[in-house]
Amino acid sequence: MSVLINGSTTKDFKVEKGLRQGDHLSPFIFVLAREALTALMRKSRERGDFRGFKINGDKEVDMLQFTDDTIIIAKRDTANLWSLKTVLRGFELMSGSRINFHKSNVYGLNVGNWFMEAASSFLSCNVGTLPFKFLGVKVGGNPRRISLWKDLILMIRKRLAV
């Protein structure tokens, strides 16, 4: 392993031990690794290789991250699939982290089943069903329906009752 300092790499050194569980540096190092994924996604977007999902015609969303959960949002496009696979593989090589694709899902709104099956096969992950929960909130359902908000309202009521 080597370290990049002000654009120059240090001499290679052998990593012999990691951090102990609960070490105060662990969250910082975890954030640094996730920042690498963010930088790779940003670079891919800047090169025009990856296109996120446009909101209101001009704002583009491509990724949401919270602790160890990541949602990547993209326009339905085979070029995006190639770019995403390249970014994720690059992240694995850079960080040493492994992405568990078998625990990952692809979701689609108004996307044909053929595309979802192709994306699932290409990325080696599952096809998920909408709506799904992210941070306790259902994503991908009709926000005008009370049923979408029932679980969240119940959770908030329970916390307020304590």
Side-chain angles (χ1 to χ4, degrees):
M1 177 174 280
S2 65
V3 178
L4 188 66
I5 300 175
N6 296 329
S8 300
T9 55
T10 63
K11 286 196 280 184
D12 287 350
F13 58 92
K14 184 177 179 184
V15 179
E16 294 180 7
K17 291 189 178 187
L19 296 176
R20 289 188 178 151
Q21 190 170 355
D23 191 296
H24 297 298
L25 281 178
S26 294
F28 179 68
I29 291 172
F30 184 81
V31 169
L32 281 176
R34 295 305 168 254
E35 189 60 31
L37 179 60
T38 303
L40 286 169
M41 288 294 291
R42 185 181 319 112
K43 195 64 145 172
S44 183
R45 216 177 44 249
E46 287 170 358
R47 285 193 322 251
D49 295 338
F50 186 85
R51 292 178 301 179
F53 185 78
K54 289 213 177 206
I55 299 173
N56 294 334
D58 62 337
K59 304 247 189 292
E60 193 173 295
V61 177
D62 63 359
M63 189 167 56
L64 303 172
Q65 289 184 297
F66 185 78
T67 59
D68 62 349
D69 286 330
T70 300
I71 295 180
I72 297 174
I73 305 164
K75 180 180 169 96
R76 184 192 81 179
D77 188 328
T78 54
N80 267 348
L81 289 176
W82 278 101
S83 180
L84 178 58
K85 191 165 190 166
T86 302
V87 164
L88 294 176
R89 184 65 182 132
F91 172 73
E92 285 183 328
L93 292 170
M94 285 176 46
S95 68
S97 295
R98 301 281 304 152
I99 296 170
N100 189 343
F101 287 100
H102 298 290
K103 283 181 147 182
S104 302
N105 296 310
V106 292
Y107 300 93
L109 284 172
N110 303 324
V111 177
N113 285 342
W114 66 270
F115 185 82
M116 296 306 295
E117 290 298 327
S120 167
S121 176
F122 184 71
L123 296 172
S124 302
C125 61
N126 305 308
V127 176
T129 57
L130 295 172
F132 65 92
K133 277 191 177 180
F134 181 68
L135 303 178
V137 177
K138 287 185 181 175
V139 176
N142 185 344
R144 293 187 179 116
R145 294 189 184 249
I146 293 173
S147 61
L148 185 74
W149 301 102
K150 269 185 184 171
D151 292 343
L152 182 62
I153 291 169
L154 184 62
M155 183 180 69
I156 291 171
R157 282 191 177 143
K158 282 181 181 176
R159 291 207 177 163
L160 289 175
V162 173

